[in-house]
Amino acid sequence: MISIANNEMFARRGQRFMCWTRRILMLTGVLALAYVALTLFNARLFQIAASHTLEHQIHAEEQHTASPSRPAMKEGDVLGKIEIPRLGLSVAVLQGTTSKTLLLGVGHIAGTALPGEAGNIGIAGHRDTYFRVLKDIRRNDEIRLQTSSGVARYEVDWIQITAPRDGDIVAPTSESALTLVTCYPFYYIGAAPERFVVHARRQ
C-alpha cells in the first residue's frame, strides 16, 4: 500500500512539474514574440522618422540653407536612403555599423566614401532584416542611393562570397562604386562564417 501511495505521489508531482514547465515555456515564447514585435515596430517608426529627416535635408539643400561645411557625424545619423526597385527594398542609410544602428537601418562602413561622394561607398546590413532581399539580387540590377544632394544610380556588376576579414572588398577606388555587405549563408543559425558582397558601379 505504501508503495502504491508513493507512486501516486510521484505521479502527481510529475504532472505538476510538467504543467509548470509548459506554462514557463509558453510564457517564454510569448515574451520572445513580444520582443520581436516591439523591435520591428520600433524599427518601422524609425524608418518613418528617418524618411522625414532626409526630406528635411533635401529641402534645406534646395533652399541653400545647408551648412557649407559638413558637421561631424555621429553613430546613427541619417545619411540617405538606398533602394533596389526590383527587390522592393527601401531603407535608410545610417552612419556606423553598431548592433543598435543595424537594427534600425543599414549602416555606412567607416573608412569608405560617404554617400554622395566619389569613391567606393560601403554599406552593411543584417541578413535577417533589411539585407535579406540580397539573396535574390542579380547582375545588372539597379540600385539607387538618395542623399540630400540628389539620387545616384548604380548597376550591379558582380556578386561574391568572401571571408569576414577580407578588407579589399571595401578598399578605396578611383571610380564611383557601391559595395553592399551582409552575412552569409542567409539562413545560417548563429554567427555566419562568410560575407555576401554586392558590388555596383555608378551609371
Side-chain angles (χ1 to χ4, degrees):
M1 295 294 293
I2 295 177
S3 176
I4 294 175
N6 286 340
N7 289 339
E8 291 178 350
M9 181 180 65
F10 287 130
R12 285 195 296 271
R13 287 180 179 176
Q15 289 173 354
R16 285 197 295 268
F17 175 78
M18 291 301 297
C19 181
W20 278 106
T21 299
R22 284 195 296 270
R23 290 177 180 178
I24 292 171
L25 290 175
M26 184 177 295
L27 179 61
T28 301
V30 169
L31 291 176
L33 289 174
Y35 173 78
V36 171
L38 183 62
T39 300
L40 293 175
F41 180 70
N42 183 51
R44 177 58 182 164
L45 290 180
F46 182 87
Q47 285 295 313
I48 294 172
S51 181
H52 291 320
T53 298
L54 180 58
E55 289 174 5
H56 178 75
Q57 293 172 352
I58 292 171
H59 179 72
E61 186 76 20
E62 291 172 346
Q63 299 299 315
H64 303 289
T65 58
S67 174
S69 59
R70 184 187 292 270
M73 289 179 301
K74 304 185 301 295
E75 182 77 27
D77 281 354
V78 178
L79 302 183
K81 179 173 63 175
I82 189 171
E83 296 178 327
I84 306 179
R86 192 182 69 80
L87 301 182
L89 175 69
S90 179
V91 61
V93 178
L94 312 177
Q95 175 59 28
T97 55
T98 64
S99 296
K100 181 180 178 180
T101 297
L102 295 186
L103 282 176
L104 300 174
V106 295
H108 167 249
I109 300 172
T112 68
L114 286 166
E117 295 183 348
N120 186 15
I121 302 166
I123 297 177
H126 282 319
R127 64 192 161 110
D128 52 0
T129 54
Y130 300 106
F131 272 0
R132 171 62 64 86
V133 298
L134 293 186
K135 64 184 176 60
D136 297 318
I137 202 163
R138 305 172 187 161
R139 286 191 61 187
N140 303 321
D141 274 349
E142 181 187 51
I143 303 175
R144 301 171 188 166
L145 182 58
Q146 182 176 23
T147 64
S148 60
S149 58
V151 179
R153 289 176 168 79
Y154 299 81
E155 185 177 285
V156 176
D157 58 353
W158 55 260
I159 301 164
Q160 183 177 331
I161 297 169
T162 70
R165 297 186 180 182
D166 186 359
D168 290 341
I169 58 175
V170 290
T173 60
S174 57
E175 64 175 5
S176 292
L178 178 65
T179 303
L180 310 182
V181 183
T182 192
C183 293
Y184 185 85
F186 286 97
Y187 296 101
Y188 191 85
I189 303 299
E194 297 175 302
R195 297 295 177 265
F196 187 87
V197 182
V198 177
H199 185 271
R201 292 184 179 181
R202 187 163 181 175
Q203 294 178 318

